Amino acid sequence: MSQKPIVIIGSGLAGYTVAREFRKFDMETPVLILSADHGGFYSKPMLSNAFATGNTPASLLINSAKEMAVKIKATIRPHSRVTSIDSSSRTLELQDGEKLDYDKLVLALGANQIRLPLDGDGTKEILYVNNLDDYHHFRGALIKKKEIAILGAGLIGCEFANDLAVAGYHVHVIDISSHPLGRLLPQAGGFFLQQKLEAAGVIFHMNTTTRRVEKLGEKLQLAFSNGQTIEVDILLSAVGLAPSISLAKATGIKVNRGISVNQVLQTSSEDVYALGDCAEVNGKVLPFVMPIMHAARALASTLANNLTQAHYPAMPVLVKTPACPTVVAPPNSSATGEWHLKETQDSLKGLFQNKENDLLGYALLGEATKEKTLLTKMLPPVMK
Ligand SMILES: Cc1cc2nc3c(=O)[nH]c(=O)nc-3n(C[C@H](O)[C@H](O)[C@H](O)COP(=O)(O)OP(=O)(O)OC[C@H]3O[C@@H](n4cnc5c(N)ncnc54)[C@H](O)[C@@H]3O)c2cc1C
């Protein structure tokens, strides 16, 4: 009887990195990667700075699924959505009813865009960008258009705003919080970033939400809760991502905000593992590149029968807003302390310290980003 494969569901950074790392330990065990999309490998973070880096949707694709299959000696099946998992018989089912066996299963399912419940006949026109296909569609929609509104002044909203402003679009950003990057930056840092993006042409509508989106001929009219209205050509929603948990939940695998896993990335079901944007590792949902790289290395070793815990060092996030270079290492949500801020015309440095003056987090904007390497060394690890 032929050997059952390790099956990885998902061909994003998490799925491909764990496969690649596994091959460093084991060249023989069959690996099957199932993907709901085209299965090509691309750098998702580059979607929000493609104009600034001179990239097109086509140039963002690094390797096709076929090329990846050769590179990592795996079978890759694009456009193969998994609809159910039976962990007792170690089988899973695809959209067309085909059943497949697995020996070990890795869930690398990513996250889904949060969709705000808005009123109006224009809501069908709202665009979302969370993968290369979405971005291809978005770039097509931008042709001959000028006025863009972005819902959400978080990391992805601000990055798109900067990128589109650089490319000559008129960009509006709308957010309920008082300042951009509300969940990552102290208020003064958010205001500093906002000023620099405003100088680059971005118009912010803060402390308000969009209530209705109506079609007005070729235009979309947005009505805000503060009574203001604006008209734009394109509306992009970037209000956040929710880990993809429905498949795991339907299987009976424990989920919370993400698919719950312990420090060896193991779910509540034996031989089913999860990592990347879909996973909640020891209570932490960290939808960024660096945690995926650390988790993938540990999981690859575990899949090769060397049980290995994932450890996260301090992992600052680089915000790709060239109008205001920004690096932030947010303090752990349970950390107690306060922000100490120093601001000049060209820089803002925020240090989050406890009573003993230990550095627990930082926010560096503008010139202050030069201190990133030194300060990162002083931070505690995110997960020991
Ligand atoms: C615009 C943008 C900019 C970003 N910038 C940064 C940045 O600067 N720095 C940073 O650290 N992070 C950034 N991120 C976050 C980072 O890109 C993600 O954390 C990372 O790419 C997630 O990888 P993943 O493999 O977990 O998920 P994904 O890349 O979403 O992959 C999920 C895969 O699962 C597949 N799938 C899902 N359900 C099924 C199913 N039922 N059956 C089969 N296949 C399925 C999908 O088709 C896909 O292949 C950014 C994200 C975005 C959207």
Side-chain angles (χ1 to χ4, degrees):
M1 209 176 80
S2 66
Q3 193 183 356
K4 287 184 187 175
I6 291 177
V7 174
I8 299 172
I9 312 178
S11 63
L13 184 72
Y16 273 140
T17 308
V18 77
R20 212 183 255 140
E21 292 292 325
F22 177 70
R23 282 292 179 239
K24 292 181 184 167
F25 296 105
D26 180 335
M27 285 301 287
E28 300 309 320
T29 303
V31 172
L32 168 64
I33 299 178
L34 301 167
S35 180
D37 60 35
H38 52 86
F41 184 63
Y42 66 100
S43 164
K44 190 182 278 202
M46 292 197 75
L47 298 179
S48 49
N49 68 344
F51 280 111
T53 52
N55 274 295
T56 61
S59 71
L60 286 169
L61 184 70
I62 299 166
N63 288 117
S64 67
K66 260 192 187 164
E67 290 166 341
M68 288 305 286
V70 176
K71 268 182 169 241
I72 52 181
K73 200 174 171 241
T75 304
I76 299 171
R77 293 187 53 179
H79 307 295
S80 299
R81 180 174 288 279
V82 177
T83 51
S84 66
I85 299 164
D86 182 346
S87 49
S88 57
S89 63
R90 295 196 195 189
T91 53
L92 46 82
E93 190 170 334
L94 301 184
Q95 207 161 20
D96 62 5
E98 184 182 351
K99 285 202 165 58
L100 298 168
D101 293 324
Y102 66 81
D103 178 35
K104 292 171 186 162
L105 182 64
V106 176
L107 306 177
L109 304 163
N112 302 312
Q113 293 275 4
I114 294 171
R115 292 173 183 242
L116 293 177
L118 302 178
D119 294 325
D121 63 359
T123 50
K124 293 188 284 295
E125 311 287 323
I126 299 176
L127 300 178
Y128 301 85
V129 176
N130 188 30
N131 56 48
L132 191 55
D133 286 339
D134 292 343
Y135 187 65
H136 195 277
H137 181 61
F138 178 60
R139 279 289 281 259
L142 287 174
I143 294 169
K144 295 194 180 153
K145 299 288 162 56
K146 198 75 190 160
E147 300 284 336
I148 322 281
I150 300 175
L151 302 181
L155 179 110
I156 293 171
C158 286
E159 291 185 349
F160 271 117
N162 196 158
D163 204 41
L164 292 164
V166 165
Y169 293 93
H170 292 163
V171 186
H172 298 260
V173 176
I174 305 107
D175 199 298
I176 194 168
S177 67
S178 64
H179 59 284
L181 261 62
R183 262 178 279 164
L184 290 176
L185 289 178
Q187 197 176 46
F191 288 149
F192 186 89
L193 173 66
Q194 181 173 339
Q195 276 170 21
K196 302 290 176 196
L197 288 173
E198 281 170 346
V202 179
I203 300 161
F204 282 89
H205 307 266
M206 303 304 288
N207 296 305
T208 191
T209 56
T210 305
R211 285 267 164 82
R212 296 185 71 81
V213 184
E214 301 287 356
K215 279 191 81 168
L216 282 185
E218 292 289 295
K219 293 270 184 185
L220 292 172
Q221 186 188 61
L222 277 59
F224 303 151
S225 53
N226 64 8
Q228 199 193 342
T229 60
I230 59 168
E231 282 178 27
V232 296
D233 301 309
I234 301 279
L235 176 54
L236 176 70
S237 177
V239 294
L241 294 164
S244 185
I245 58 171
S246 53
L247 184 62
K249 198 175 172 187
T251 308
I253 289 171
K254 196 174 155 228
V255 297
N256 187 34
R257 224 156 47 88
I259 302 169
S260 303
V261 294
N262 58 18
Q263 221 167 325
V264 289
L265 290 322
Q266 185 183 37
T267 68
S268 60
S269 179
E270 205 191 348
D271 290 326
V272 181
Y273 302 85
L275 83 165
D277 284 8
C278 66
E280 180 173 327
V281 185
N282 263 359
K284 290 183 204 303
V285 175
L286 298 169
F288 299 108
V289 169
M290 286 314 290
I292 291 177
M293 306 312 282
H294 290 284
R297 273 180 224 128
L299 180 53
S301 172
T302 295
L303 293 172
N305 298 321
N306 309 307
L307 200 69
T308 305
Q309 290 193 336
H311 299 281
Y312 295 157
M315 298 178 293
V317 177
L318 271 70
V319 186
K320 302 183 297 296
T321 43
C324 179
T326 299
V327 192
V328 54
N332 200 316
S333 54
S334 60
T336 47
E338 54 185 70
W339 284 102
H340 301 273
L341 302 164
K342 205 161 128 191
E343 186 173 351
T344 67
Q345 178 90 8
D346 302 320
S347 78
L348 185 137
K349 176 175 164 184
L351 302 180
F352 189 88
Q353 290 165 306
N354 62 13
K355 276 192 195 136
E356 290 76 36
N357 282 340
D358 299 319
L359 184 68
L360 303 179
Y362 67 65
L364 304 174
L365 294 94
E367 289 289 305
T369 52
K370 287 183 185 147
E371 296 188 52
K372 175 192 148 215
T373 310
L374 191 74
L375 290 172
T376 303
K377 286 185 189 147
M378 296 161 67
L379 288 171
V382 172
M383 192 170 73
K384 275 190 200 148

